[in-house]
Amino acid sequence: MAGEAAGIGCQWRLDILRELRLRNKRESGGFSELIASHGKLQEQLNAVQKEITRLEYQNNELDQKNAALLSEGSSVSGSSGGKGNQRRTEELQSKVMKQAEELVEMHKKVGEVTTQLAELTTQLRKKDNDLVKKDERVREATSQRKRLEEELDTAKKELASAQQTNQALVDEHQALQLAYNSHEVKLKEVEAENDRLRKQLMSYKVKDADRLNDQNEKFRSDRERQLKEEIEQATREPSVATATSKHSSDKKPRKGSLSVTEGSICPTTPLESMEVHDNEVSALCFDGQGNYMATGGADKVVKVWCWREGLEKLEAKCNLTGSGASIMSVQFDHQSKMVLAACNDHASRIWSIHDQRLKHTLTGHSNKVMSAKFLDESQKVVTGSHDRTLKIWDIHHKTCAKTLFAGSSCNDVVTRGVRGGIISAHFDKRIRFWDLRSATANEIALQGKVTSLDIFPDQHLLLCCSRDDTLRLIDLRQNAITATFTAPGFHVGVDWTRAAFSPDGQYVAAGSSDGTLFVWETFSGKVKTRKEHGKEIVTCAWHPKGQLFASADRNKRIILWRR
């Protein structure tokens, strides 16, 4: 390798030297011809000058002889009238005239030669200047060649160093490749073990589902038998019916059963309509006791309202500020002392209702947070964001306890209690059921982007709303869709449209893009509609007692409904 580099360097020098010699020969050729012609002209000029000197000398001699002859001729002519001398004089005069003409011609030639000499001198000076410039360029090329030779030496040294580094990297790559092959073998073993454990887990889940189905079937049959007994008792004598009713009212309803005696209303009559924010309303919820209602909107403010049953109207309690962008979801804690809000400025915030102070700001998402819910009896918070992650926050330590990578923008989340895990809705048309112990998720695919989730209090039924203009009911014990709700004219208006369960599960409701409220009966699928809003309805919710319903739109307005 070093020999080849040296050969390349010598060849490069020889090429430059050969080009310089060719250029010298090419550029000096014109000068050599010019110098030769200049020498010939100089020789001709010297010869002409010598001839001029010789002719001038002869002319002077002839003038002297002519004068002498003239003087002799005059004397001879005076004495004898000498005719011969006169003839000779005429010959001499003609010869003098001829010499004079030759002299004039020679002077003309001298002038032409002088002019040509001046032109050649000018050309020679120009060539000299060009030669000086060429010499300067040759010197610059020589200095550049030296600089390039130095750079070549430096490049050779860097090449040698790079070759050494490359060899070291090759050796390191080989070592890493060996380690990678070893880890890949281990990974395959771990994946095989993981598949085995997953199959085992699925078998356990199937057994649990079968057991739950048996229990539910038994509960349903017991409930039907109890209802039959109550109906038979109600058809007996009045005194017996009254006693039976009194005895039945003392019994507490079983957890997970639908309320029969106090059913939720089907909202048909507007009770109150009011503008609650300076911009569109995007979040709405009641607290667990039914004393407060919280709203959030694009004006970056969470407003808390008091509900007085006797007055049957809302009273403003406080405004919670501190968000840097729109409020996308709101929720009260279990004791109705704090309000949690998801914000479009990539954060979630918790306020205290008593003193209206901002207690916690949960930052860590890289995109807007669409939903935030309390977890583990208000000790933790789960948030879903458009950065395709879910985060679980420890409020006590004010840190992110876990990050779940969903792979798609999250639009809503709900929780299933302390051990039930988290359910999330995503824009890739999937609902994900998370196991917090392993941070893995099972999925159900729908036909459109999932905009919202709402879980029934018995934790067994899940309501989801999607952009294919459909609401679906999912049985969480079977992870299967059990009912589908749709209607002519129902169109989901925005990607964060929220649908809601009634507290007893008898109704599901959602708003349409034209401001129409749609309410379906859960078990029969019958639908009722009312149009009181001027723009698309974004969110809605039932009062926890089921006797009041609220809906909010993008025109700053909420409407309270009665039966």
Side-chain angles (χ1 to χ4, degrees), residues 18 81 121 170 188 202 207 217 220 306 339 341-342 362 371 441 464-465 470 476 479 490 539 555:
R18 182 168 59 254
T121 303
V170 168
K188 291 181 180 179
M202 291 302 297
K207 292 179 181 179
E217 185 64 28
R220 190 178 295 108
C306 294
V339 175
L362 309 177
S371 181
C464 61
C465 177
T470 304
L476 299 179
N479 280 350
F490 176 68
T539 183
N555 199 22

Side-chain angles (χ1 to χ4, degrees), residues 96-142:
V96 168
M97 291 297 292
K98 185 177 181 180
Q99 291 292 332
E101 291 177 357
E102 291 179 358
L103 181 62
V104 171
E105 187 68 24
M106 292 303 294
H107 279 299
K108 187 182 295 184
K109 290 183 178 179
V110 169
E112 293 176 355
V113 170
T114 303
T115 303
Q116 188 176 3
L117 180 63
E119 293 177 356
L120 292 174
T121 303
T122 303
Q123 293 179 5
L124 181 62
R125 289 176 182 174
K126 185 176 180 181
K127 295 292 184 181
D128 289 337
N129 292 332
D130 293 339
L131 184 60
V132 170
K133 293 180 180 179
K134 301 282 185 173
D135 292 337
E136 183 65 26
R137 291 174 61 184
V138 169
R139 285 193 295 271
E140 292 178 357
T142 303

Side-chain angles (χ1 to χ4, degrees), residues 306-445:
C306 294
W307 168 250
R308 307 299 182 190
E309 290 190 7
L311 299 177
E312 292 190 346
K313 68 176 183 177
L314 291 176
E315 295 179 352
K317 178 175 177 59
C318 60
N319 293 343
L320 307 178
T321 60
S323 174
S326 301
I327 307 297
M328 300 308 298
S329 76
V330 290
Q331 186 191 26
F332 290 92
D333 69 331
H334 296 289
Q335 298 178 350
S336 301
K337 294 182 179 180
M338 295 183 295
V339 175
L340 169 65
C343 310
N344 268 352
D345 59 354
H346 309 176
S348 299
R349 292 173 173 82
I350 300 177
W351 288 270
S352 171
I353 299 177
H354 174 68
D355 53 9
Q356 296 94 50
R357 295 183 61 182
L358 179 62
K359 298 189 65 175
H360 305 288
T361 299
L362 309 177
T363 59
H365 284 288
S366 60
N367 207 327
K368 56 186 178 182
V369 182
M370 298 298 295
S371 181
K373 299 293 173 60
F374 282 108
L375 184 67
D376 291 351
E377 296 182 353
S378 305
Q379 297 303 312
K380 292 183 179 180
V381 168
V382 57
T383 57
S385 169
H386 271 196
D387 64 1
R388 304 181 180 181
T389 65
L390 283 76
K391 291 183 180 292
I392 299 175
W393 307 85
D394 189 329
I395 298 177
H396 181 70
H397 296 92
K398 299 180 181 180
T399 58
C400 178
K402 183 178 293 187
T403 298
L404 304 175
F405 295 93
S408 176
S409 299
C410 179
N411 194 47
D412 198 9
V413 294
V414 293
T415 61
R416 297 182 64 186
V418 177
R419 298 182 180 179
I422 298 169
I423 307 173
S424 56
H426 297 271
F427 278 10
D428 63 354
K429 307 178 183 180
R430 296 179 184 273
I431 299 174
R432 290 177 170 84
F433 304 87
W434 296 91
D435 186 346
L436 299 183
R437 294 170 296 182
S438 61
T440 59
N442 295 324
E443 299 179 351
I444 290 181

Side-chain angles (χ1 to χ4, degrees), residues 96-357:
V96 168
M97 291 297 292
K98 185 177 181 180
Q99 291 292 332
E101 291 177 357
E102 291 179 358
L103 181 62
V104 171
E105 187 68 24
M106 292 303 294
H107 279 299
K108 187 182 295 184
K109 290 183 178 179
V110 169
E112 293 176 355
V113 170
T114 303
T115 303
Q116 188 176 3
L117 180 63
E119 293 177 356
L120 292 174
T121 303
T122 303
Q123 293 179 5
L124 181 62
R125 289 176 182 174
K126 185 176 180 181
K127 295 292 184 181
D128 289 337
N129 292 332
D130 293 339
L131 184 60
V132 170
K133 293 180 180 179
K134 301 282 185 173
D135 292 337
E136 183 65 26
R137 291 174 61 184
V138 169
R139 285 193 295 271
E140 292 178 357
T142 303
S143 62
Q144 185 178 7
R145 185 191 67 185
K146 292 180 180 179
R147 180 175 59 80
L148 291 174
E149 288 177 351
E150 294 176 354
E151 292 180 357
L152 179 61
D153 295 337
T154 304
K156 288 179 179 179
K157 295 178 181 179
E158 293 178 353
L159 177 61
S161 176
Q163 288 175 346
Q164 294 177 358
T165 305
N166 184 42
Q167 186 62 38
L169 291 174
V170 168
D171 296 339
E172 185 177 357
H173 174 72
Q174 292 177 352
L176 291 174
Q177 187 67 34
L178 294 174
Y180 171 76
N181 293 334
S182 175
H183 288 304
E184 189 174 14
V185 172
K186 293 181 180 179
L187 177 62
K188 291 181 180 179
E189 294 176 355
V190 171
E191 287 178 347
E193 179 67 16
N194 187 29
D195 291 338
R196 186 184 65 81
L197 293 175
R198 186 181 294 109
K199 292 179 181 178
Q200 186 176 0
L201 177 62
M202 291 302 297
S203 64
Y204 290 155
K205 287 186 175 181
V206 170
K207 292 179 181 179
D208 290 341
D210 293 338
R211 180 176 54 82
L212 289 175
N213 290 333
D214 294 339
Q215 292 178 357
N216 291 330
E217 185 64 28
K218 183 179 178 182
F219 170 77
R220 190 178 295 108
S221 61
D222 293 341
R223 182 60 179 167
E224 290 177 355
R225 180 177 52 80
Q226 182 181 357
L227 287 175
K228 289 180 180 180
E229 292 178 356
E230 291 178 356
I231 292 173
E232 291 177 356
Q233 292 176 359
T235 57
R236 296 175 183 175
E237 294 83 356
S239 59
V240 178
T242 304
T244 304
S245 175
K246 182 178 180 181
H247 178 72
S248 299
S249 64
D250 293 336
K251 294 182 180 180
K252 296 182 179 179
R254 298 183 182 181
K255 183 178 181 180
S257 63
L258 299 181
S259 175
V260 178
T261 57
E262 294 184 2
S264 300
I265 67 163
C266 178
T268 56
T269 304
L271 178 64
E272 184 177 7
S273 177
M274 56 189 298
E275 291 187 0
V276 294
H277 286 271
D278 296 334
N279 210 321
E280 65 181 69
V281 185
S282 53
L284 167 70
C285 77
F286 289 95
D287 72 316
Q289 286 74 35
N291 298 324
Y292 300 113
M293 184 183 74
T295 58
D299 58 359
K300 310 175 186 179
V301 178
V302 175
K303 295 189 177 183
V304 180
W305 308 82
C306 294
W307 168 250
R308 307 299 182 190
E309 290 190 7
L311 299 177
E312 292 190 346
K313 68 176 183 177
L314 291 176
E315 295 179 352
K317 178 175 177 59
C318 60
N319 293 343
L320 307 178
T321 60
S323 174
S326 301
I327 307 297
M328 300 308 298
S329 76
V330 290
Q331 186 191 26
F332 290 92
D333 69 331
H334 296 289
Q335 298 178 350
S336 301
K337 294 182 179 180
M338 295 183 295
V339 175
L340 169 65
C343 310
N344 268 352
D345 59 354
H346 309 176
S348 299
R349 292 173 173 82
I350 300 177
W351 288 270
S352 171
I353 299 177
H354 174 68
D355 53 9
Q356 296 94 50
R357 295 183 61 182

